[in-house]
Each structure stands twice: as C-alpha cells, then as structure tokens.
Amino acid sequence: MAESPDFSQLDREALVVVVPPDRAQWQLDAALCALLDEAVAAGDLALKPGRTLYVHRPAGLKAARLAVAVAADGSARAWKKALAAGLGLIKGGGASRAALVWAGSGQPDAAMAEAAACVAADLVYVYRLTKPSAPEASRLVTVELVCAPAAEAEVSTGLARGAAIAAGVELAREVANRPANHCTPSHLADEARALAKMKGVKAEILERKEIEALGMGSFLAVAQGSEEPPRFIVLKYQGAGKKDAPVVLVGKGITFDTGGISIKPAAEMDEMKFDMGGAASVLGTFRAVAALRPKVNLIGLIPTCENMPDGRAVKPGDVVTSMSGQTIEILNTDAEGRLILCDALTYAERFKPAAVVDIATLTGACIIALGHHHAGLFSPDDALADTLLAAGRAAQDTAWRLPLDEEYDEVLKSNFADVPNVGPRAGGAITAAKFLQRFAQAYRWAHLDVAGVAFRGGAAKGGTGRPVPLLTHFVLSQAQ
C-alpha cells in the first residue's frame, strides 16, 4: 500500500481538503486523519455530503487555515459542490492563496481541475459597478490543486481551461448584471470591440443604416420603438485555415424587454435587463476561446436592441418582411427575441457554416418545462444535438433536448403573412423553436433556450454566465 501524501506539511495560507464520506477511502497523512477523527468524535464534523469544518491554526499542520468539506463521491460534480462549500469557508478571510486537496482515491483529473478554477472564480465575483456599498473584494486570488507529478500535465490543462471559462463566465455575468441604462446595445458593441484586442479576434459593428441595407426588417421592427439605436455585432475568431467552415454562435441581445405594445406586467419586469443573456454568452465564449486558442474558426452574431412601447413601436397585427424574404405577422410584440434572431440566422448563411447554434432567453414556457437546471435544446440534427449535450455534461452546464416534430409547425399559420411570430400557449418553447427553424434551413442548426438558466431571481438575483461553459466545450470539440 502506497504511503499517504503528507498534506499536513504543506506550508500554505489555507488548505482546503475535500474528503469522501467513507473513512476507509481517505488518502491523508496521520496528522490530518487524527484531526478529522477527533472532529468527528466531538460532533463537529459529520461524514455526510455537504458537511464542512473550519479550523484556524490547526495543530500539527503547517497551513494557517484548514477547511474540510465532505463530497458525495469522487465525481467531478460532487467535487465541485463540496469544493464550493469548502472555499466558501475561507473566501471572506485573510488568505490570498489556497491549496486544494482531493483526499479520496486516485489523482485529480482535468475535469476536477477545471471545476476548481471555475468554482474559485464564481465564489469571489462581486458586482460593484453601480453599487459603491458592495462588499470588499475577497483576498483570495490564487488557488492551486495538489497532485502527484504524474498528474501535473493533465491538471495544468484542466486549470487553464477552467481559468479561461471562468473569465468568460465573469464577462457574461458582468454585462448581464449591469442595468439597462448602462448595458445598452452600444455598450455590447463596446464589449465586442474590447474582445477584438485579443489575439485572433476581430469585431465589426453594423449600425442602423447598414442593418436597413441588409433588409433586416424583422430585427428593425423590434428596434423601432426605442430611442436607443440598434447594433448588429459580428465577431470573428480565426484559429484554423481560412477555407475551414466556421462554427457560428448567434446570441439574442435584447438589452431591455418591456414586451412592447403587448406590455409585460410590472412585477419582476426589472429582470428583463437579463434578456440579453444569449448575447452575453456569446461574448463570454469568445473571451474563453480567445484565451485557449483552439484550431477552429468561430463567428459570433449579436442582434441587439431594446423592445419598447412608443408611438413608433410595432403593433400587434403588423406584418414585416424578414431578411430571408419571408413575411411575419406580429401577433404579440412580446415574442420579439425570435424576430431579431431570424434575421441573424439568415445573415449566418454567408459564412457557409459547419454548424450554427443560437442562444436566447426566449420563452417562459421553457422555464415551465425544465425549471432552472437544464437549458432547453432543440435541433433536427441528432449528431449536433448529441455533441451539445455531451459538451454540457462535460462542462457541468447541462441541456435537455426537446422535440421539433413537424406536427408542431401546423399551428404557425397566418391569414396575412407567411408565418405568425407566435402560436398557441401549449408547447410555446417548441413552437418558438419551430419558428426559428424556418430561417435555418441552409445549415446544421441548434437552438438553446436559456430562459431558465441565464439568470437567477429572488435574493440571489443576478446573471449566471450560463451557457458559456457548455458553448466553450462545444467549440473546443469542433477544433481540428
């Protein structure tokens, strides 16, 4: 039997140890085992998933602080959950650097390393742009994952991937959290320009006249009720050959959604600043991909505007002509996300893409169907859907596939246009996806409805940064 690592001799400001609930599986030295056995015997630590212990100046350890968390098992998912609890015990203290230890059998792998980087970044993020009274920044700025020399290469790869994804998630959270009077379409364009300073990234910003010249009548119909000018953002990352077909991500960028003339109820309308969660995820994914520099070509398209009611606003019953030439009867102005996405999906054809994925906080119906755990995934392409589902599992940012049967298309009928923008309430998330599918016939396509996962309400209100992890893993899977 190999000798247990001597973690007690690690001279660190803080030591965070994650243990499995089975005492027989611990891979700890005698000093740490004795300390934890004593805590269990005294009733200060229970060997049940989620339980934690904090010890300051622990006897027999060189570390100044010890945090212990019990994981359900040795999976990356259980590790991530336990690590969040353990790091939560020290993030508000004086430690600037923490060593992370997996005390179960085997060595940490790339998935655990990625999770560690993401958890640490998530815990120390604080929104402060418009809140001078926000808590002080955590002193914790560095985490290291302790492993054997044989595992160092894999762990380093996972940490680098996790750090890049964490930076992308932070960007997505930050732009989503900003109030709509700060995060305007022009601000999203500025964020795209900032990304273009990274190696391999270019940005092009189209303004109203250029959008009009393209014939994006559906997008402009949504924008016409707002004083804020619309923007159409094109981001490009080239990591492969110029002739290699790109992956295209299309993000809904409604920076505030009143519902328009079909106005929303006042309760919780403030959360409609998060209606640009799809756009935020595209920006965040570009941030992650540019840091990792995979051999893939990536395009990001963000149609962005506000949906406001005024004398010029589009009205229920109005018919508009999309970039594709299809006419749309707008029965409900609060079903505006699909109206801006459909023109972006048509624009995507010019890139002859390998695949197109649109991301949108599109329907409340998806929240009713899936709650706040899975994003809704729609695609007529089984292989593409399976790849996205696998990316979500690998990233611990999951999606659930919903149907796109032809029968759902039968309710999208209009007496006055080629298609209405809404169907009946039943199956609303599916009929919204069926609407978009009409504009995505020229390539492999998938739709992610992230209405239930892109932000949280209530006391924990704020952007989550999802689905940046899923999208980043998907783009990496497409690399040469």
Side-chain angles (χ1 to χ4, degrees):
M1 181 176 178
E3 184 178 348
S4 295
D6 201 3
F7 297 128
S8 64
Q9 296 307 299
L10 288 172
D11 189 4
R12 299 292 189 273
E13 293 178 55
L15 188 65
V16 181
V17 179
V18 175
V19 300
D22 185 352
R23 170 68 172 78
Q25 295 180 6
W26 290 2
Q27 302 293 314
L28 292 172
D29 57 80
L32 265 170
C33 279
L35 190 153
L36 297 188
D37 286 339
E38 182 179 342
V40 171
D44 294 321
L45 176 65
L47 296 182
K48 297 179 180 179
R51 298 299 180 89
T52 59
L53 172 72
Y54 176 77
V55 183
H56 191 72
R57 298 292 179 188
L61 274 67
K62 288 188 175 180
R65 303 163 183 85
L66 172 67
V68 180
V70 183
D73 51 50
S75 67
R77 180 183 177 89
W79 155 263
K80 184 177 183 179
K81 188 173 182 179
L83 192 58
L87 280 170
L89 297 175
I90 66 167
K91 73 169 186 176
S96 62
R97 186 183 185 96
L100 315 179
V101 171
W102 164 240
S105 60
Q107 289 294 312
D109 59 15
M112 294 173 75
E114 177 185 320
C118 290
V119 164
D122 181 67
L123 283 172
V124 300
Y125 170 79
V126 176
Y127 172 78
R128 58 180 72 253
L129 178 72
T130 56
K131 188 176 180 179
S133 60
E136 291 185 6
S138 173
R139 296 185 185 181
L140 184 64
V141 294
T142 304
V143 294
E144 57 178 308
L145 182 53
V146 180
C147 65
E152 283 183 1
E154 183 176 359
V155 166
S156 294
T157 297
L159 286 173
R161 187 169 63 228
I165 290 173
V169 166
E170 181 176 345
L171 173 58
R173 291 179 73 181
E174 181 65 24
V175 294
N177 285 338
R178 294 186 176 193
N181 61 325
H182 287 260
C183 185
T184 61
S186 296
H187 177 75
L188 290 183
D190 289 341
E191 293 287 355
R193 292 187 184 97
L195 285 171
K197 295 178 181 178
M198 299 184 72
K199 186 175 181 180
V201 179
K202 295 181 179 179
E204 181 183 9
I205 312 300
L206 306 184
E207 300 190 1
R208 187 187 297 272
K209 287 185 178 180
E210 295 161 297
I211 298 168
E212 289 173 349
L214 288 168
M216 291 186 173
S218 185
F219 174 26
L220 289 168
V222 177
Q224 71 190 42
S226 174
E227 292 295 322
E228 289 287 345
R231 296 288 185 265
F232 190 84
I233 299 167
V234 182
L235 280 164
K236 298 178 181 180
Y237 164 80
Q238 185 172 335
K242 291 184 178 180
K243 294 184 179 180
D244 292 325
V247 172
V248 178
L249 303 179
V250 181
K252 172 186 170 184
I254 298 292
T255 56
F256 195 77
D257 181 19
T258 66
I261 298 300
S262 307
I263 199 162
K264 294 177 180 290
E268 299 179 345
M269 193 196 284
D270 64 289
E271 293 181 359
M272 288 302 97
K273 71 175 185 176
F274 296 118
D275 210 19
M276 38 63 72
S281 71
V282 172
L283 294 173
T285 301
F286 263 80
R287 174 68 179 80
V289 169
L292 294 169
R293 298 198 51 76
K295 294 182 178 180
V296 65
N297 292 334
L298 181 64
I299 303 291
L301 304 178
I302 299 174
T304 176
C305 65
E306 293 180 335
N307 184 23
M308 300 289 284
D310 84 344
R312 295 170 301 171
V314 69
K315 306 172 294 298
D318 284 0
V319 175
V320 299
T321 302
S322 67
M323 185 181 179
S324 71
Q326 297 178 74
T327 58
I328 304 166
E329 183 182 14
I330 301 176
L331 297 178
N332 187 332
T333 67
D334 194 24
E336 84 299 328
R338 64 202 73 180
L339 295 174
I340 72 172
L341 287 172
C342 70
D343 280 345
L345 289 171
T346 301
Y347 186 88
E349 292 180 13
R350 66 187 55 204
F351 300 107
K352 297 180 172 56
V356 175
V357 180
D358 76 70
I359 312 99
T361 48
L362 203 65
T363 67
C366 194
I367 303 176
I368 300 302
L370 297 177
H372 299 281
H373 300 292
H374 299 294
L377 169 63
F378 303 81
S379 181
D381 188 305
D382 290 341
L384 178 58
D386 288 345
T387 302
L388 285 160
L389 291 171
R393 289 191 295 269
Q396 298 189 50
D397 180 14
T398 54
W400 194 267
R401 192 178 183 187
L402 293 165
L404 270 181
D405 300 63
E406 291 182 6
E407 289 79 4
Y408 289 103
D409 206 36
E410 294 174 2
V411 298
L412 292 177
K413 306 289 185 183
S414 168
N415 291 341
F416 308 106
D418 294 325
V419 63
N421 74 323
V422 292
R425 291 188 65 190
I430 302 170
T431 54
K434 291 300 294 184
F435 175 90
L436 294 175
Q437 188 179 10
R438 291 173 175 244
F439 302 86
Q441 298 295 312
Y443 42 69
R444 300 171 70 216
W445 163 79
H447 161 60
L448 283 169
D449 191 331
V450 297
V453 302
F455 67 95
R456 302 185 190 97
K461 185 184 295 183
T464 64
R466 294 180 64 184
V468 169
L470 182 160
L471 293 172
T472 303
H473 272 263
F474 169 68
V475 173
L476 294 177
S477 76
Q478 303 303 297
Q480 297 175 1

